[in-house]
Amino acid sequence: MAAKKNNSKTPDYSSYVKKFWKIFGIGLLSVFLFFLLASWGVFGKMPSFDQLENPDSNVATEIISEDGETIGKFYLENRTPVKYADLPKCLVDALVSTEDERFFEHSGIDTRGTLRAMVTLGASGGASTITQQLAKNLFHGEGSKNLLMRVIQKAKEWIIATKLERQYTKEEIIAMYLNTVDFVNHAVGIRSASKVYFGKEPKDLKVEEAAVLVGMLKNPSYFNPMREKRKELVFNRRNTVLSQMVKNGKLEESVKVKLAAQPVKTNYNPESHNEGVATYFREYLRDYMKKWVKDNPKEDGTEYDIYRDGLKIYTTIDSKMQKYAEEAVHEHLANLQEEFFIQQKKNKNAPFVNISDDETQRILSRAMRASERWRVMSEQGISEDKIIASFKVKTDMTVFTWKGERDTIMTPMDSIRYYKHFLQTGLMSMNPQDGHVKAWVGGIDYKHFQYDHVAQGARQVGSTFKPFVYATAIEQVHISPCDSVVDAPFSIPKGKYGIDADWNPHNSNGKFQGVVTYKYALAHSINTVSAKLIDKVGPKAVVDLTKKLGVSSSIPEQPAIALGAVEITVSDMVAAYSTFANQGVYIKPVVITKIEDKNGILLYQSQTQTKDVLSKDIAYAVIKLLEGVTESGSGARLKWGGAGGTGYNRMTGYPYKIVNPVAGKTGTTQNQSDGWFMGMVPNLATGVWVGNEDRSAHFKSLIYGQGATMALPIWGLFMKKCYADDTMVYKISQKPFERPANLSIRVDCAKAVVKDSTSTDSLGLDEFDF
């Protein structure tokens, strides 16, 4: 019997298989073509080889002190790159363990991580490698919210990542990545973050500190350790990083348990243009650099950008001396300011003294029109009448106090009066032998008072001008410090030197002391003697010498300049006095030693500018005259210790006890509007000015308003702090000034005459100028 035929058919899948492979091939080809087109820049510009070799980044310009500290930066992004060698092992371990466990195994793309992320749709974590994150940071920033664009960006990240892996070592990629991350709070890059959050260099970070910074990488704003409400989140995130380090064998479990139990500790040091050390100096430097970049272009003719090009400006500032100068200003003026406010409580026109209502309104109106509020409202097209009216409406504002900023409600006009109360200051300290400026304090708080009283503000100098008169007389008519002169009524008649009335200078205590030495006369600032000297040599000779000493102010050729009716900046006064300490050689102040580009190539080297002004003998004779001020005059309090006398609870007492030779001079101007002290030791000259912004705002009495009270304590506190610090790189001399060989001028005087017992010098009043 014939076999039964099987009619069932076997399914034919060949067409489906062909379709699958066709779709797979098209898909694979499409993916290949997509990546190829992306690499060619069809979907947007791709970085060139040169750009990969030298990726663009906004690198902050660093301002570096003479003792090697970064005292400030100019930046759009506060970024200062570091090399891999400067990164601590714990930071690298924390980064790799948390962000990319297979970093040292893949070539830019983590295939396992990518497949895991695709399968779990990202629930098990992302798959971006450190190299991909670097590519994103360098070349396109945050991802697009558009899905298609995000896919394109991701593809470009992969391509750039593989190119970066071929271009750089793993270590270089880690360093580059950490240099590009924005850690918020004006901290871009690991070095800025370490300085801002922990006050140290990256190499000094502890394990738990490194874990905090690595923990921020997931979302810097969300895990910001300075936000009070995020403390617990930051704590937990740090501990997650520590756990990852244990998981990857980079940290012992016992160490992790101990560290995880500790609270997150930070040492917050915000870096901004308005905060930190040497703020006034940095602003002066910014203006200087604006001109410098125009005069020193790049090889291609373009200007350097101080906010992007990562220049390194090496300055003469000593970071510790700058710190001590600012501390001295704070300690003294915060104390003296309290007394000023107390005395102004009964003044209906506070803080102005003895001026009319019209004069007061002119001062307030001028300040109103110069204010930021006026500028902003004016640019908005608001009428002048409405702007003026707004200054009379109470509003919320934050104002400066010596105890920190304070939120309050007052009218803008009242805030102008409030700020007019504050005593301002200018301090500059310089090495007389090379002109290097060591400290620069232009005011009490740059954020609220941006006028620089070191270089911008010229103020009347009072008796501190007298040494220029004495120096001229030593040179022209050959007086010596030990020669005698009669302190008696003196007059210069109308017409002489072009004056329009008889000039009859008086001594501040209203007394005349008869025969005294010139050293005694300068030490006690006897006005009649200064007047006699300028009459002997003529005002023109004094003006000519003052100009040779580097003073740039316009000085009238009038005899009254002998008593200090001249406006000069602190910087010019310090440079002029430094000439005496430098054996008669004037040196122009230097603030920058060199400038380098971000690669360390030298762009600028400073050159010292000097000129001979006086002989060594004359310069030394002036030094000996000035030493008399601190031996028996108004500066003698520098040698003392103890609390002091009447009113000295507001004058910082006498805590100085500086026993080494000091050449100095106090100065006070009409109505106590300005207080000065110029002080020198052999290798440091420092000038201090104190006064209100407006000359009509001042202390009513000499007890508080003289230079020995307002300015001298700042100098004394500053020097005491410097002398107490044995770790300072710059060692301030405590030795006597060098005596020239074969000195031809008699400077070793017999003991000075004893003054009238009713003299006011115990209060330092005898140096005041009318």
Side-chain angles (χ1 to χ4, degrees):
M1 188 170 68
K4 191 173 181 180
K5 186 177 180 182
N6 187 358
N7 293 325
S8 63
K9 294 183 178 180
T10 301
D12 185 4
Y13 294 109
S14 60
S15 61
Y16 295 106
V17 171
K18 288 179 181 179
K19 286 181 181 180
F20 168 79
W21 285 110
K22 184 177 181 180
I23 292 171
F24 179 81
I26 292 173
L28 191 63
L29 184 62
S30 297
V31 170
F32 175 77
L33 185 61
F34 172 75
F35 276 94
L36 185 64
L37 292 174
S39 67
W40 287 348
V42 172
F43 303 123
K45 186 178 179 181
M46 291 288 286
S48 66
F49 177 84
D50 286 339
Q51 287 174 314
L52 288 172
E53 187 72 29
N54 298 288
D56 289 334
S57 59
N58 296 327
V59 180
T61 287
E62 282 190 274
I63 305 167
I64 303 169
S65 68
E66 198 161 51
D67 53 336
E69 296 294 323
T70 298
I71 59 174
K73 299 175 184 177
F74 300 133
Y75 59 84
L76 296 177
E77 295 179 343
N78 184 12
R79 183 205 316 270
T80 305
V82 295
K83 296 179 180 178
Y84 183 82
D86 297 320
L87 300 175
K89 184 177 183 298
C90 64
L91 177 66
V92 175
D93 289 344
L95 173 66
V96 174
S97 298
T98 307
E99 294 294 313
D100 191 352
E101 293 174 317
R102 287 177 289 278
F103 174 73
F104 288 102
E105 301 169 15
H106 62 65
S107 298
I109 308 298
D110 183 2
T111 307
R112 285 169 55 188
T114 301
L115 291 174
R116 183 201 69 232
M118 291 173 63
V119 170
T120 62
L121 298 179
S124 61
S128 286
T129 64
I130 290 174
T131 316
Q132 285 176 261
Q133 292 178 54
L134 172 61
K136 180 179 72 173
N137 291 346
L138 286 178
F139 298 107
H140 70 71
E142 289 301 313
S144 173
K145 293 182 180 180
N146 181 284
L147 180 61
L148 177 60
M149 290 303 299
R150 185 72 192 100
V151 170
I152 292 173
Q153 285 180 341
K154 202 67 180 177
K156 291 168 70 175
E157 273 180 32
W158 287 0
I159 295 167
I160 295 170
T162 56
K163 289 183 177 181
L164 287 171
E165 289 276 350
R166 291 196 297 267
Q167 196 75 23
Y168 297 99
T169 66
K170 289 288 188 179
E171 290 77 12
E172 288 172 331
I173 288 172
I174 284 178
M176 289 173 68
Y177 170 65
L178 288 174
N179 284 331
T180 62
V181 177
D182 187 345
F183 288 90
V184 301
N185 292 317
H186 300 294
V188 179
I190 191 63
R191 184 164 187 255
S192 292
S194 299
K195 299 280 278 186
V196 168
Y197 293 114
F198 299 106
K200 58 179 68 174
E201 294 290 340
K203 62 184 176 61
D204 299 320
L205 288 171
K206 297 178 181 178
V207 174
E208 63 272 25
E209 294 168 341
V212 170
L213 296 178
V214 169
M216 292 178 69
L217 297 175
K218 185 174 184 180
N219 188 326
S221 181
Y222 189 71
F223 294 106
N224 179 355
M226 303 320 301
R227 296 183 67 175
E228 194 63 34
K229 294 181 179 179
R230 303 286 168 83
K231 291 290 186 183
E232 186 176 352
L233 289 170
V234 174
F235 176 84
N236 293 334
R237 179 61 182 162
R238 181 204 63 182
N239 290 350
T240 297
V241 174
L242 294 174
S243 297
Q244 284 295 111
M245 293 178 72
V246 172
K247 174 186 172 184
N248 286 273
K250 302 300 182 182
L251 190 68
E252 295 290 335
E253 176 67 28
S254 59
V255 176
K256 177 255 179 182
V257 171
K258 181 179 178 181
L259 294 178
Q262 298 177 6
V264 174
K265 296 178 182 178
T266 57
N267 178 18
Y268 190 49
N269 294 275
E271 294 183 348
S272 75
H273 300 307
N274 293 333
E275 298 174 307
V277 298
T279 47
Y280 291 91
F281 173 74
R282 286 189 272 135
E283 191 57 32
Y284 169 83
L285 207 57
R286 188 204 306 272
D287 288 338
Y288 176 93
M289 290 301 296
K290 286 178 182 177
K291 183 178 184 300
W292 185 88
V293 296
K294 293 182 182 297
D295 296 338
N296 298 271
K298 299 178 184 178
E299 290 184 358
D300 62 4
T302 61
E303 292 182 9
Y304 285 99
D305 188 332
I306 65 171
Y307 302 104
R308 298 174 183 270
D309 287 342
L311 302 178
K312 293 186 183 297
I313 305 173
Y314 292 86
T315 72
T316 61
I317 296 293
D318 183 290
S319 67
K320 288 190 174 182
M321 292 175 69
Q322 180 68 33
K323 173 176 175 284
Y324 296 147
E326 293 178 5
E327 287 178 356
V329 165
H330 186 283
E331 287 176 22
H332 178 57
L333 290 188
N335 188 33
L336 192 60
Q337 187 66 54
E338 287 187 37
E339 182 64 32
F340 191 88
F341 276 120
I342 290 170
Q343 292 189 19
Q344 292 296 327
K345 284 182 178 179
K346 296 180 180 179
N347 180 4
K348 294 181 179 180
N349 195 28
F352 309 112
V353 180
N354 296 329
I355 64 171
S356 67
D357 290 342
D358 287 343
E359 288 177 294
T360 301
Q361 288 307 311
R362 279 196 295 271
I363 292 172
L364 296 178
S365 178
R366 186 166 59 246
M368 175 179 65
R369 293 172 184 275
S371 69
E372 181 69 7
R373 174 184 290 271
W374 183 283
R375 184 190 68 79
V376 171
M377 295 181 75
S378 180
E379 288 180 354
Q380 292 174 348
I382 299 173
S383 70
E384 188 170 302
D385 288 343
K386 288 184 178 180
I387 296 176
I388 293 173
S390 74
F391 274 79
K392 300 174 183 178
V393 178
K394 287 188 176 183
T395 184
D396 293 331
M397 63 178 66
T398 302
V399 298
F400 169 81
T401 78
W402 274 112
K403 295 180 180 179
E405 290 186 335
R406 177 183 171 188
D407 293 330
T408 188
I409 300 175
M410 65 171 70
T411 69
M413 186 58 73
D414 285 342
S415 74
I416 291 175
R417 271 193 184 265
Y418 170 72
Y419 280 131
K420 293 291 185 183
H421 281 73
F422 280 93
L423 294 164
Q424 299 295 329
T425 191
L427 177 153
M428 192 178 101
S429 199
M430 166 179 153
N431 179 349
Q433 281 72 51
D434 60 15
H436 286 195
V437 174
K438 298 296 184 181
W440 179 306
V441 183
I444 58 174
D445 183 271
Y446 183 76
K447 182 177 180 180
H448 295 276
F449 307 96
Q450 298 190 353
Y451 191 76
D452 183 357
H453 292 283
V454 169
Q456 285 180 295
R459 296 290 292 241
Q460 283 197 11
V461 297
S463 293
T464 55
F465 190 84
K466 289 177 180 176
F468 307 148
V469 179
Y470 278 70
T472 306
I474 295 172
E475 183 179 49
Q476 299 280 329
V477 296
H478 311 297
I479 68 165
S480 83
C482 303
D483 290 344
S484 296
V485 61
V486 178
D487 172 23
F490 179 75
S491 178
I492 295 180
K494 174 182 177 181
K496 193 173 185 180
Y497 308 120
I499 60 177
D500 56 9
D502 290 350
W503 185 51
N504 304 293
H506 300 283
N507 292 329
S508 61
N509 60 7
K511 298 178 181 296
F512 301 101
Q513 300 184 51
V515 179
V516 296
T517 64
Y518 283 110
K519 183 174 183 178
Y520 181 92
L522 183 63
H524 299 277
S525 219
I526 298 176
N527 290 336
T528 58
V529 175
S530 296
K532 287 181 178 182
L533 288 177
I534 201 166
D535 189 38
K536 282 187 177 183
V537 299
K540 185 179 186 305
V542 175
V543 172
D544 289 345
L545 176 62
T546 306
K547 291 295 184 181
K548 290 178 184 178
L549 291 170
V551 173
S552 57
S553 304
S554 175
I555 304 175
E557 294 178 3
Q558 299 285 324
I561 64 174
L563 307 188
V566 178
E567 294 187 349
I568 303 176
T569 63
V570 171
S571 58
D572 277 1
M573 286 295 286
V574 173
Y577 267 65
S578 292
T579 306
F580 303 134
N582 193 36
Q583 300 185 324
V585 179
Y586 169 81
I587 295 186
K588 186 176 182 180
V590 177
V591 296
I592 297 174
T593 55
K594 64 179 179 178
I595 300 173
E596 293 177 348
D597 70 8
K598 64 182 178 182
N599 298 313
I601 297 173
L602 184 66
L603 303 177
Y604 168 80
Q605 185 90 43
S606 68
Q607 294 182 342
T608 305
Q609 299 180 41
T610 68
K611 61 181 175 181
D612 293 335
V613 178
L614 298 167
S615 71
K616 291 183 180 180
D617 287 7
I618 295 173
Y620 186 72
V622 176
I623 289 293
K624 298 306 288 184
L625 284 168
L626 294 171
E627 284 183 356
V629 175
T630 61
E631 290 168 356
S632 64
S634 55
R637 63 199 70 193
L638 289 169
K639 310 285 186 180
W640 305 343
T646 304
Y648 279 88
N649 60 318
R650 294 297 184 192
M651 301 181 198
T652 327
Y654 297 129
Y656 321 114
K657 294 184 181 179
I658 299 174
V659 297
N660 52 282
V662 174
K665 188 71 191 79
T666 54
T668 311
T669 61
Q670 190 74 25
N671 297 325
Q672 304 81 252
S673 294
D674 306 274
W676 287 80
F677 184 72
M678 306 296 299
M680 295 184 291
V681 294
N683 66 345
L684 194 70
T686 304
V688 183
W689 165 86
V690 173
N692 291 78
E693 182 181 284
D694 293 274
R695 291 183 57 82
S696 54
H698 53 77
F699 279 109
K700 294 181 180 180
S701 73
L702 278 166
I703 291 178
Y704 297 99
Q706 60 176 313
T709 301
M710 292 207 294
L712 179 145
I714 294 174
W715 189 93
L717 291 169
F718 167 58
M719 292 297 288
K720 185 178 180 182
K721 289 172 182 289
C722 291
Y723 279 140
D725 188 348
D726 294 331
T727 67
M728 276 188 16
V729 174
Y730 189 72
K731 304 299 182 184
I732 300 176
S733 174
Q734 292 180 284
K735 297 178 180 179
F737 288 86
E738 183 181 350
R739 186 186 184 102
N742 303 314
L743 180 64
S744 61
I745 301 173
R746 190 161 66 99
V747 298
D748 300 316
C749 311
K751 187 175 181 181
V753 298
V754 179
K755 292 186 300 173
D756 187 312
S757 61
T758 60
S759 169
T760 54
D761 184 55
S762 61
L763 292 177
L765 306 188
D766 64 328
E767 57 87 51
F768 179 67
D769 299 325
F770 290 96

